[in-house]
Amino acid sequence: MTDNAAVDPATYAARLTTADLAGTVPDLLAAPALRWGVLGAGNIAASFSDGVRERTAAQVTAVGSRSVDKAQAFADAHAPGARAHGGYAELVADDDVDVVYVATPHSHHLEHALLAIEAGKHVLVEKPLTRSVSESRTLLDAAQAAGVFCMEAVWTRFLPHVAAIRGAIARGEIGEVRTVIAEFDVAFAFDPSHRLFAPELAGGALLDLGIYPITFAHDLLGAPDTVLAHGTLAETGVDDHVSMILGYDGGAQAVLHTSSGASGGAGARIIGTRGRIEVPEFFFGPTGFEVVRDDGPSWTFTSPDGEGKAYEAAEVARCLDAGQTQSARMPWSDTLEVMAILDEVRAGLGVVYPGE
């Protein structure tokens, strides 16, 4: 830890403030109760619903899918007692729903989130918020006009280990952050109908997997001044193997990688002028890390057990209770900055989705 306790945490990483010094997150059960409607009945919706039910004071009161049978099966498994709707319009019109979690493929986020907003519902939209900056602006403008809460569901921002990492850096334990290294690589068998490879579903490693390394770096360093990218495309024309370097005028760098065809894991390193933080695996979900210091003993952190998406659900509850339309931890400006990086990388690779 630095000897100068009065040093501004932004000295060590641009995005840190004195609020990060504690390195902790609020108690999940202290967040106000909400009534959630879940739009979509896939795996991510399932883990989110489990987290809400098991770890917060809120409940999932309704589920919407394209068929009532699928919605009912989902409710039975992940939200007992929730009303099952065989259509998304029915879900967003449900009077027993305070906020809608949009968990359909990101090619449909704009359409489905607008449906909820037009019904006067607050929304939490799975990442990425939309396919592009322009679509994100359309969605956020609609939320602002309607006066409803809207947040991109970047669960990583609210997890205990991320708060602890930011706290360690804010206290000066590894000095000034010079490099963030992160990867998320998963080897999928090529299948043109799979959402990762289908252009009509806004497929590609970048939007589905690569957003995590980019958001992780952005959380510490902010929007880059330069973006360099190199990658390859799958047979369907979407990206499948991408390397990126984000450059900052102050000298910091982020070295990032994502792939849908290589089994590289999901590790991260934060390298400072007086030490480093090693996150060996799953940096974007509940995990552990080690702080290795040049001037003091190393120490480790282990995340509490339990479904991590409960933390973003609790953040939504706190924001709504405070009358806020966006989260200070995941504000609209951050979503737009990250989407701009994704747009720039995708343009450099020549990836264009139908309708763009």
Side-chain angles (χ1 to χ4, degrees):
M1 185 180 297
T2 180
D3 293 331
N4 183 4
V7 174
D8 182 353
T11 300
Y12 304 119
R15 300 261 300 171
L16 300 183
T17 71
T18 54
D20 292 301
L21 291 169
T24 59
V25 297
D27 180 8
L28 285 172
L29 289 174
L34 280 182
R35 300 173 301 173
W36 286 92
V38 174
L39 194 157
N43 291 334
I44 292 178
S47 60
F48 177 84
S49 300
D50 291 342
V52 168
R53 184 185 75 253
E54 295 168 359
R55 306 195 68 193
T56 77
Q59 61 179 321
V60 175
T61 55
V63 178
S65 184
R66 286 173 293 182
S67 78
V68 69
D69 289 343
K70 185 174 182 180
Q72 188 61 62
F74 181 97
D76 292 343
H78 303 287
R83 186 178 293 110
H85 294 291
Y88 301 141
E90 294 177 16
L91 172 73
V92 300
D94 194 317
D95 290 335
D96 290 327
V97 169
D98 299 314
V99 55
V100 172
Y101 172 57
V102 176
T104 47
H106 36 264
S107 53
H108 293 71
H109 284 179
L110 177 61
E111 174 191 353
H112 295 152
L114 285 176
L115 190 69
I117 289 170
E118 289 165 1
K121 294 295 196 295
H122 306 289
V123 288
L124 173 67
V125 185
E126 191 47 55
K127 59 79 197 162
L129 187 73
T130 63
R131 300 185 303 176
S132 64
V133 165
S134 62
E135 287 188 353
S136 291
R137 288 199 182 102
T138 297
L139 177 54
L140 296 174
D141 285 349
Q144 184 175 39
V148 299
F149 178 88
C150 180
M151 188 177 86
E152 183 182 17
V154 182
W155 64 319
T156 308
R157 292 278 174 104
F158 307 100
L159 296 175
H161 79 282
V162 171
I165 285 172
R166 290 170 65 89
I169 299 171
R171 295 188 296 269
E173 295 197 31
I174 65 167
E176 181 186 353
V177 173
R178 302 295 290 165
T179 308
V180 176
I181 302 172
E183 64 175 0
F184 188 16
D185 304 328
V186 182
F188 290 88
F190 177 72
D191 176 358
S193 66
H194 190 284
R195 62 181 177 81
L196 270 171
F197 301 103
E200 66 274 14
L201 297 178
L206 188 64
L207 264 62
D208 199 271
L209 310 176
I211 188 173
Y212 284 116
I214 292 172
T215 300
F216 189 73
H218 178 275
D219 196 24
L220 294 173
L221 302 175
D225 297 295
T226 59
V227 177
L228 300 176
H230 178 76
T232 61
L233 305 184
E235 295 175 26
T236 52
V238 301
D239 59 275
D240 64 0
H241 201 71
V242 185
S243 297
M244 297 160 280
I245 298 177
L246 311 185
Y248 297 82
D249 288 347
Q253 297 180 355
V255 182
L256 314 173
H257 188 264
T258 190
S259 177
S260 59
S263 184
R269 301 177 76 198
I270 303 168
I271 302 171
T273 53
R274 295 199 298 273
R276 66 187 185 275
I277 296 174
E278 303 271 3
V279 191
E281 194 58 67
F282 201 43
F283 70 87
F284 55 85
T287 191
F289 63 84
E290 181 181 17
V291 175
V292 181
R293 295 166 50 184
D294 293 344
D295 61 352
S298 300
W299 58 273
T300 61
F301 177 91
T302 301
S303 285
D305 293 335
E307 170 54 53
K309 295 181 184 65
Y311 292 96
E312 64 183 359
E315 171 70 3
V316 175
R318 289 189 295 267
C319 289
L320 292 183
D321 187 58
Q324 299 167 343
T325 55
Q326 55 182 304
S327 164
R329 187 72 181 90
M330 189 60 215
W332 298 350
S333 57
D334 282 17
T335 287
L336 294 173
E337 287 177 359
V338 170
M339 286 303 315
I341 299 170
L342 292 166
D343 275 7
E344 186 170 351
V345 173
R346 193 158 58 87
L349 298 175
V351 177
V352 179
Y353 297 128
E356 289 192 313

